[in-house]
Amino acid sequence: ASAVVTLTSGHADVIDVGYASGNLTVQVRDETTGTPVERDPADVVLRVPAAAKITVPGGSQWSFLGAAGSTVWVLPQNQVAGLLWAGWNTTEVPAGTFTNNQVTFELVSVTGGRFSIYSTSLGNPTVRFHSRAAGPKTLAVSAGAHTHASWAFDTATTYTVTFRVTGTLAGTSTVKSSGNVSFTFQVLN
């Protein structure tokens, strides 16, 4: 195993999906130094510093983050100095490989606290994933996509967030799977 690398700020595609030689893979694409490096998620700690703390806004549309006025840590959808700019990409999935030119991301499990990924447009959030029982757990992602969203945590602790990526090969019933892939987030107070 490689030495563990802690990523603290800059661009990182946390869920970096590739498909080659019949294998659907997930790595972390670390671009924090400006030079892209593909890393095994088991060798990466994604740090969420105290500077990521925000207060949950009022309004029912934000209740998925917790009670209005409570504290939540958010790696934002837009790049902010000193924070990780977390996203995902499927740019290494050849077009036409999978049915509907899509793979499915599935949030399998979360330990540590409440976790969500959401995107914001015109000030309104759309929850993409949420660890609560009723929260969304799957998202269809087109091949060739590169997306950034906000990653939210409600507790200062270490989280283990596990995803699985699957896709059905075009013109077949064969499902390819990355298997469960776990990511470690260290949320600091």
Side-chain angles (χ1 to χ4, degrees), residues 14-19 22-27 41 87-93 98 101-108 129 137-143 151 161-169 174-183:
V14 178
I15 306 171
D16 176 36
V17 182
Y19 184 76
N23 295 309
L24 192 59
T25 59
V26 175
Q27 295 193 300
W88 60 80
N89 85 65
T90 56
T91 58
E92 295 173 42
V93 175
F98 295 102
N101 206 36
Q102 294 180 330
V103 293
T104 299
F105 288 15
E106 178 185 358
L107 177 61
V108 176
F129 299 98
K137 301 291 186 277
T138 61
L139 180 68
V141 179
S142 296
W151 301 57
V161 178
T162 302
F163 280 93
R164 176 173 42 238
V165 178
T166 57
T168 302
L169 291 175
T174 303
V175 176
K176 293 291 184 172
S177 174
S178 65
N180 290 352
V181 181
S182 295
F183 302 89

Side-chain angles (χ1 to χ4, degrees), residues 2 5 13 36 45 50-51 55-56 59 67 73 84 87 93 102 106 124 136 141 153 157-158 174-175 183:
S2 301
V5 173
D13 288 328
V45 173
T55 299
V56 176
W73 289 253
L84 277 175
V93 175
Q102 294 180 330
E106 178 185 358
N124 293 309
V141 179
F153 308 83
T157 191
T158 299
T174 303
V175 176
F183 302 89

Side-chain angles (χ1 to χ4, degrees), residues 30-45:
D30 171 9
E31 294 186 17
T32 59
T33 64
T35 302
V37 179
E38 302 272 342
R39 300 190 186 279
D40 183 331
D43 299 332
V44 177
V45 173

